[in-house]
Each structure stands twice: as C-alpha cells, then as structure tokens.
Amino acid sequence: ELISFLLVFLSLLTAGASSVVVGHPLDTVKTRLQAGKGYRSTLHCVLTIYRKETVMGFFKGMSFPLASITLYNSAVFGFFSNTQRLISKYRYGDGRHPCGMLDLTVASMLTGLMSVGLGAPVDLVKIRLQMQTQTLVAENLHLAGNVSSSTDIPLRSVDIPSQRAYRGPIHCISSILQTEGLQGLYRGAGAMILRDVPGYTLYFIPYTIFCNLLKPDPTSTPHPCSIWLAGGLAGSISWVTATPADVVKSRMQADAQLQRKYKGVLHCIIDSYKTEVCSNRNLPGYTL
C-alpha cells in the first residue's frame, strides 16, 4: 500500500509540475490580455512580453502554483471521488454503485466549490506577480491631482515599470495580509465560484460521458489514448463556458489595494461591459 501511495503521489507530482511548466507561459499571456492594458492581440502581447521582459517574463509567478499543484490536484480529485462514494452509499446503499448523471452533477458542483478555498489564494498571488510590469493607471493611484495641467503626459499612460510591489510569492502573501487582511487573499473568490462550480461540472460530466463512449464495452477500462482524448474534449468544453467568469476573476485579483477599481463582482462585470462592449459599438465596422 505504501508503494502504491508513493507511485500515485509521484504521478500527481510529475503530472502537476509538467502542466504548470508547459502551461504557465500561456497563462501569463491570458492574464495580461484579460487584466492588462495596451495589447492589440495575442501575438502583440507575446512579442511585448518577450521584448520587455525576455523569456523569463512568461514564467513570472510560477513558483507558488508549482509548489502547490500536487496538493491541489490531490485534494480536488480525491474530494470528487470520495463525494461520489458518499452519494452512492447514501442513495444506493453501496459506495461502489455507479453514479447517475444527477449524482455526478452534485459531486462536480461541490468539488468546484471546495476548489475555490484552496485555489483562490494561489491564483491571486500568481496573478499579482504576473501583472507586476503592467502600466499603473494614474486615476486609480489618485495621481491626477499631482499631474501639472501643462504636462504633455496623458493621465492614463503613466508607466512606472521599475516599482515592483512584490519580491516573490512569500513577500506577496505577507504584503496582502498586512494591507488587506486574510480576506485580501480571497479577493475575486466570488468570481472564481462562478467559474469553477459550472466549470468543474462541465468538465467531469463530459469527461465521464466521453470515457464511457470510447470504451470497447461497458465492463472494460478506457484505453490511455481514450482518456487523453476525453480529458482534452472535456477541458475545451469547460474552458469555453468558464472564460467570461475567468476574465472577471483575473481583473478583480489584479486589482491591488493601491489601484482598487472594482467594488465587487457585479461592478466588475458592469464596468467591463460598459468599457469594452458598449464603447466598441461606436467603432467603424462593429457588428454583433
């Protein structure tokens, strides 16, 4: 049993670390596009990061997710499996009884809710570190009154790239605790719930359905290739539906104390809609 546990732990460690290292550069680009300013496209964002920060700019904020990914994956998948067993035991009297669609939905939603408790602080620290070279908006820093009326510097382009608030993940956590308290680590958790509860539901249910469809017969176990395909398809479905809430979450988590712009989830949604949807309707060639 100890050997089996160690093998599972090493598998989770290797898989989790690989996913973070491979996916973090893309996640950095995603975060900058969602919560940053001045990027015209994905390619422009990639080239800007590379020119200003070199390759290392794509890996900012990676250490904390890398250190916690094994615990996070173990907790999430362990919670999902144990919740299924408890539901089966309660409804059918046997923890090994196959779960129905309703059972999977309940287990997935509870897993998504639980994941926020572990994942919100990790995501917050990651995003704060990823966004450190972003332009500081003068109006959010209340610098407007300090800028002379004769200056030629636009108020929304005051760039202070050398002033980094955080030296690393530990310093970031301690700074947030000092300035915002424990609740500061969970800023954007409401948006994360809106993302993860339906997101996990729309991951685990399609994953289970695809695995069952790709099995040669109902009694056999899925082939590893079938599992990879099912995971990829389920992940695509999940992220397509979760992206709007993920944008709101990223913007709220990047909204640091000194730059506070959003009062809450609803305010962030309304402000984003007004500034990016309504304003675009006035642009030439805009169509819905």
Side-chain angles (χ1 to χ4, degrees), residues 6-21:
L6 289 174
L7 288 174
V8 171
F9 179 79
L10 288 173
S11 298
L12 287 170
L13 178 63
T14 304
S18 300
S19 67
V20 171
V21 172

Side-chain angles (χ1 to χ4, degrees), residues 77-98:
F77 287 98
F79 185 89
F80 179 67
S81 298
N82 288 324
T83 302
Q84 286 186 92
R85 291 193 193 98
L86 286 174
I87 292 173
S88 294
K89 188 174 182 180
Y90 176 76
R91 293 195 65 191
Y92 312 108
D94 183 5
R96 293 172 295 181
H97 190 280

Side-chain angles (χ1 to χ4, degrees), residues 147-164:
V147 179
S148 171
S149 58
S150 61
T151 184
D152 294 328
I153 301 175
L155 287 181
R156 296 186 64 83
S157 64
V158 177
D159 193 9
I160 316 175
S162 61
Q163 294 187 359
R164 295 188 178 184

Side-chain angles (χ1 to χ4, degrees), residues 209-230:
I209 292 173
F210 288 137
C211 280
N212 290 333
L213 289 174
L214 293 170
K215 287 195 297 186
D217 58 82
T219 59
S220 63
T221 57
H223 190 273
C225 291
S226 300
I227 294 174
W228 295 336
L229 179 59

